[in-house]
Amino acid sequence: MSFNPAEEIEKLRKEIEHHNHLYYDLDDPVLSDTQYDQLYQKLKDLEARYPQFAAADSPTQKVGGKASTAFSPVVHRTPMMSLDNSYNAEDVRAWHERCAKMLSCPVFDMVLEAKIDGVSCSLTYTDGVLTTAASRGDGKTGEDITANVLTVKDIPHRIANAPAGILEIRGEIYLEKKDLAQLNEKQAAANQIIFANTRNAAAGSLRQKDPSVTMRRPLKFFAHSFGFGRINAGGFGDFIDDCRKWGFAVSPVRLRTSSIEEIIQFYQDFNDKRRTLPFDTDGLVIKVNSFDQQRILGNTAKSPRWAIAFKYPAEQATTTVKNVLFSVGRSGVITPVAQVEPVSCAGVVISNATLHNFDEIKRLGLRVGDKIILERAGEVIPKVVKVVQHLGQADIQPPVSCPACGRPVYKAEGEVGYYCVNPACPAQIKGRILHYASRAAMDIDGMGDAVVNELVNRRFVSNFADLYNLNFFHLLSLENFKEKKSQNLLDGLEASKKRPLSRLLFALGIAFVGAKTAEVLADHFHTLDALMNASIDELQTVPDVGTAVSQSVYDFFHDPAAKEQIELLRATGLNFTQPQKQMSSRILEGKTIVFTGEIEGMTRTQAEQLARQHGAKTSGSVSAKTTFVVAAKAAGGKLKKAQSLGVKIISAEEFFKMIQ
DNA sequence: CCGCCTCGAGTTCT
DNA sequence: CTCGAGGCGG
């Protein structure tokens, strides 16, 4: 194909605009400055050679083009170094020991502060007047961001009683969590970029070409380092006190001690507290206090030896997508799952992350081989946040055939999901059996993932009733099964026959019938036969049962295959009735309770059962209708929601006292 | 008909 | 835990 300058120019413009966007709006450049400059230069050359294709909206013509840098370089008087990181007590003790050795002194003062997640910035005051503000850049040379920094309200433009000449104060410019939420609301309303975190928002705000935009961002500053100048302080603690006198905010979390164990204790206690603070912190910073001792310890090529960051494990991590697989759930839904290069995130090693559906893949623009950021949503479920760098070639296509049974895949009109509609699909059978045996359903001890897998693969089991026809010899032939395990599983199966109707209903896996609806239905009809014979109208008289649920239940029990299954289960002696609810008291009648966190001595399900026995309603989510929330150890998002809604919060002890 | 409140379903790792 | 959607009250 011949060279087409118009096309080539257009392609370069698009590419450069994309990188401008990454750099200015997202503060997340993918290209190095050199790589960017090469692209930019290439476009400039082409535009010069083919002036007929010049355009006013080309990035080369715009003031904001990155190369025509709005922020001129500033060489730092002393380098702005980064800190060495540590993530555990051992590393911190080792650091302390190394310092002690180099200082020939086992006990020395240290200062601890919060490590606030923001953008570091160096402020130069000349005879007390703020003259230059610079970003860190590569540590040696930063960018001049004075115009933007002048709009930060926390930063004094003039300081009284400052030492004569040059004084350089360094610190962090950051955004509070609540301000990020507000900013993002505004951004969304204006159809602008949503910032992923406070750090990105702060950085993006400082990169604005127009300082009036920066001014509208509620940026804050706190001082944390000494850069240059003649000061009286002999130690870091005194210097920070001076900063306060000069009108700077400083870390709200501070500790001065000579005990490394006290610091480690503080680190552990602070982990819970830091989430309630108004700003994001990813850890603490430990510094040797005395400036003289700092001088003795000196620096490595990268960082000072007299300071170390004591970080908490990152909640986000960067890794690579190795492959995308498709899992088939018990209902036949096909879910894409990303297999990633194992990476440590929020304390665990992640190797899989759900992608939910194909819209999500499209939204992310994800390809196999891409570099991605993932996080544990609510510190639990790994989730792909975004693609950092496109390294993959081909787009990910939805599967044409089911990965488990090979039958063609269907996509319902207007729905996001793809389905395998083969009821005999082994993946669906496994899913259904696993659900049947699960804790909240029939609670069959000894029936986990591996056992179900083998039972289905070996064709011992293809439906619920088959489970009860398993004998000792079937089980003995399973991998790692001897007498003991086999007997345990048989006992587990036998015990499951006595479960109340509500659990059986849930276990059957009727669409729209979860644990809650199953219980409502069982309590209303008392026997499976009464439920099976109920008309759609009768079903709808039950609270919380509407058209969708009633239709689904009716259809399920009028399907010949399901009917046969029920009769087979009846023949094994399964319990088809719901016991009358026994009430311990009615003390909690009319109250709606939500449990959160780990309650000592019982599971959350047990606690909920207890509450219901005393007449309460229980729910899994907090709303204005919630009477109170029982918050135990390690309470999560529900506690937060309760606080924001002003819902009463009580402790587990208070709850137990109520029902005594 | 809209908006709030819930529930259901799928997902990860120890 | 999050997303999507059913149930229901206003």
Side-chain angles (χ1 to χ4, degrees):
Chain A
M1 223 209 282
S2 67
F3 175 72
N4 181 334
E7 261 178 34
E8 187 66 17
I9 285 173
E10 197 42 45
K11 207 181 106 199
L12 280 168
R13 282 176 185 160
K14 282 230 173 86
E15 214 173 327
I16 288 169
E17 254 151 30
H18 170 66
H19 290 295
N20 281 346
H21 171 67
L22 289 180
Y23 181 85
Y24 287 107
D25 302 329
L26 304 181
D27 185 53
D28 189 16
V30 167
L31 296 185
S32 70
D33 285 356
T34 328
Q35 286 171 318
Y36 178 90
D37 287 342
Q38 280 169 2
L39 273 185
Y40 191 88
Q41 204 49 51
K42 204 164 146 193
L43 175 61
K44 258 188 123 166
D45 289 349
L46 277 177
E47 283 179 340
R49 239 190 305 159
Y50 303 96
Q52 65 269 40
F53 301 128
D57 66 350
S58 168
T60 56
Q61 301 303 308
K62 280 190 248 175
V63 194
K66 189 176 142 189
S68 65
T69 243
F71 308 112
S72 47
V74 178
V75 178
H76 298 302
R77 275 181 196 81
T78 54
M80 285 182 83
M81 290 199 281
S82 53
L83 291 177
D84 229 15
N85 291 325
S86 64
Y87 293 91
N88 53 60
E90 283 134 81
D91 291 357
V92 167
R93 285 197 192 99
W95 169 81
H96 181 256
E97 214 163 292
R98 208 170 50 235
C99 288
K101 215 176 240 173
M102 283 183 78
L103 295 170
S104 322
C105 163
V107 178
F108 51 91
D109 257 5
M110 292 169 287
V111 181
L112 196 65
E113 3 177 77
K115 188 173 188 310
I116 297 180
D117 223 5
V119 181
S120 44
C121 176
S122 175
L123 307 172
T124 302
Y125 290 84
T126 310
D127 294 327
V129 178
L130 178 60
T131 44
T132 312
S135 67
R136 183 211 298 273
D138 63 5
K140 286 197 181 106
T141 310
E143 289 172 322
D144 187 329
I145 51 173
T146 314
N148 286 337
V149 167
L150 282 168
T151 71
V152 178
K153 292 174 194 66
D154 265 16
I155 295 179
H157 292 185
R158 185 181 284 274
I159 51 184
N161 306 319
I166 301 287
L167 172 68
E168 200 177 320
I169 305 272
R170 291 166 182 181
E172 203 84 354
I173 294 181
Y174 66 99
L175 201 69
E176 291 197 347
K177 293 183 213 168
K178 64 166 178 17
D179 289 326
L180 173 72
Q182 256 178 32
L183 172 59
N184 272 343
E185 262 172 47
K186 271 190 218 160
Q187 293 285 103
N191 222 355
Q192 298 283 311
I193 292 301
I194 303 292
F195 295 104
N197 52 51
T198 49
R199 204 201 72 84
N200 278 2
S205 302
L206 288 174
R207 281 241 173 85
Q208 292 299 318
K209 287 153 261 168
D210 177 1
S212 72
V213 176
T214 310
M215 186 156 59
R216 286 195 293 271
R217 305 274 168 85
L219 294 170
K220 299 205 155 187
F221 176 85
F222 83 98
H224 64 45
S225 304
F226 170 64
F228 185 88
R230 298 174 66 86
I231 56 170
N232 297 320
F236 184 77
D238 298 337
F239 164 70
I240 287 295
D241 286 341
D242 284 343
C243 286
R244 287 178 72 179
K245 278 183 208 137
W246 290 327
F248 293 99
V250 298
S251 165
V253 179
R254 283 192 297 157
L255 176 73
R256 187 165 162 180
T257 177
S258 57
S259 157
I260 197 71
E261 294 309 319
E262 192 180 345
I263 287 176
I264 289 165
Q265 188 60 51
F266 189 95
Y267 170 83
Q268 279 154 8
D269 297 340
F270 186 58
N271 195 23
D272 289 332
K273 232 182 296 167
R274 70 192 176 108
R275 292 169 211 288
T276 63
L277 293 174
F279 44 80
D280 281 318
T281 57
D282 54 356
L284 300 163
V285 179
I286 316 170
K287 288 172 185 165
V288 172
N289 182 55
S290 151
F291 285 151
D292 284 339
Q293 289 180 329
Q294 287 186 8
R295 231 164 283 133
I296 295 171
L297 290 164
N299 307 320
T300 67
K302 255 187 59 198
S303 48
R305 288 197 194 88
W306 45 266
I308 191 165
F310 196 176
K311 284 191 171 180
Y312 297 100
E315 271 150 32
Q316 286 197 335
T318 307
T319 185
T320 315
V321 177
K322 284 197 297 191
N323 200 1
V324 171
L325 295 181
F326 306 104
S327 79
V328 183
R330 68 184 161 99
S331 60
V333 182
I334 295 176
T335 312
V337 178
Q339 285 192 309
V340 300
E341 205 55 58
V343 64
S344 168
C345 180
V348 298
V349 176
I350 310 275
S351 43
N352 294 299
T354 177
L355 294 166
H356 287 114
N357 53 50
F358 289 90
D359 282 7
E360 177 82 355
I361 293 179
K362 215 188 275 174
R363 193 181 61 75
L364 292 164
L366 185 81
R367 294 169 171 183
V368 172
D370 283 358
K371 206 167 150 192
I372 55 157
I373 289 179
L374 56 78
E375 69 181 10
R376 297 218 295 159
E379 283 146 48
V380 185
I381 314 282
K383 176 187 166 176
V384 178
V385 179
K386 67 168 171 173
V387 174
V388 184
Q389 195 171 7
H390 283 290
L391 297 170
Q393 302 300 315
D395 284 338
I396 293 159
Q397 298 299 332
V400 182
S401 58
C402 170
C405 69
R407 298 276 282 273
V409 152
Y410 289 85
K411 180 175 164 51
E413 202 62 45
E415 274 188 57
V416 282
Y418 288 77
Y419 290 88
C420 167
V421 292
N422 172 18
C425 170
Q428 285 186 55
I429 294 175
K430 285 173 194 170
R432 285 199 294 265
I433 301 284
L434 212 50
H435 171 72
Y436 183 90
S438 70
R439 201 99 176 279
M442 298 302 264
D443 193 14
I444 303 175
D445 262 4
M447 276 265 278
D449 198 40
V451 176
V452 170
N453 207 26
E454 209 182 342
L455 287 173
V456 175
N457 286 347
R458 297 191 48 188
R459 313 274 167 111
F460 288 167
V461 171
S462 66
N463 59 49
F464 306 139
D466 289 345
L467 288 171
Y468 298 101
N469 292 325
L470 287 170
N471 61 39
F472 206 64
F473 301 103
H474 286 128
L475 300 180
L476 273 179
S477 75
L478 297 180
E479 218 166 314
N480 299 325
F481 267 67
K482 297 231 174 77
E483 282 89 27
K484 179 88 176 166
K485 258 185 151 181
S486 305
Q487 192 54 52
N488 281 349
L489 184 45
L490 286 180
D491 291 348
L493 281 163
E494 200 54 35
S496 76
K497 291 183 182 174
K498 300 192 182 65
R499 304 276 179 249
L501 175 62
S502 52
R503 280 172 170 262
L504 175 63
L505 272 182
F506 175 51
L508 290 174
I510 305 166
F512 301 123
V513 180
K516 205 96 179 184
T517 310
E519 187 155 358
V520 174
L521 287 170
D523 284 341
H524 187 269
F525 288 98
H526 306 295
T527 70
L528 185 60
D529 291 281
L531 177 63
M532 284 172 75
N533 294 324
S535 67
I536 294 216
D537 286 342
E538 261 174 285
L539 285 164
Q540 290 202 19
T541 61
V542 181
D544 298 334
V545 176
T547 49
V549 176
S550 59
Q551 189 68 54
S552 168
V553 171
Y554 185 87
D555 288 350
F556 182 88
F557 287 118
H558 287 79
D559 171 60
K563 271 174 153 169
E564 194 194 325
Q565 202 34 219
I566 304 272
E567 291 319 311
L568 288 170
L569 287 174
R570 194 198 300 275
T572 66
L574 228 71
N575 170 38
F576 278 6
T577 65
Q578 183 75 350
Q580 275 296 333
K581 253 195 188 163
Q582 70 223 30
M583 282 285 192
S584 305
S585 82
R586 312 185 115 210
I587 199 152
L588 297 175
E589 197 147 59
K591 297 187 165 38
T592 302
I593 306 177
V594 176
F595 289 87
T596 178
E598 296 163 27
I599 296 135
E600 197 119 7
M602 62 171 70
T603 67
R604 198 164 64 210
T605 327
Q606 285 170 330
E608 285 174 346
Q609 211 171 17
L610 198 58
R612 282 201 294 268
Q613 268 173 26
H614 290 273
K617 276 188 175 181
T618 57
S619 168
S621 54
V622 180
S623 76
K625 287 193 178 167
T626 309
T627 320
F628 57 78
V629 172
V630 181
K633 201 171 60 177
K638 281 182 250 183
L639 180 60
K640 239 180 166 178
K641 179 135 193 222
Q643 283 163 341
S644 72
L645 285 172
V647 171
K648 192 169 150 192
I649 298 158
I650 67 167
S651 69
E653 291 93 61
E654 283 174 279
F655 169 69
F656 289 129
K657 220 177 257 173
M658 275 175 150
I659 59 173
Q660 242 170 31

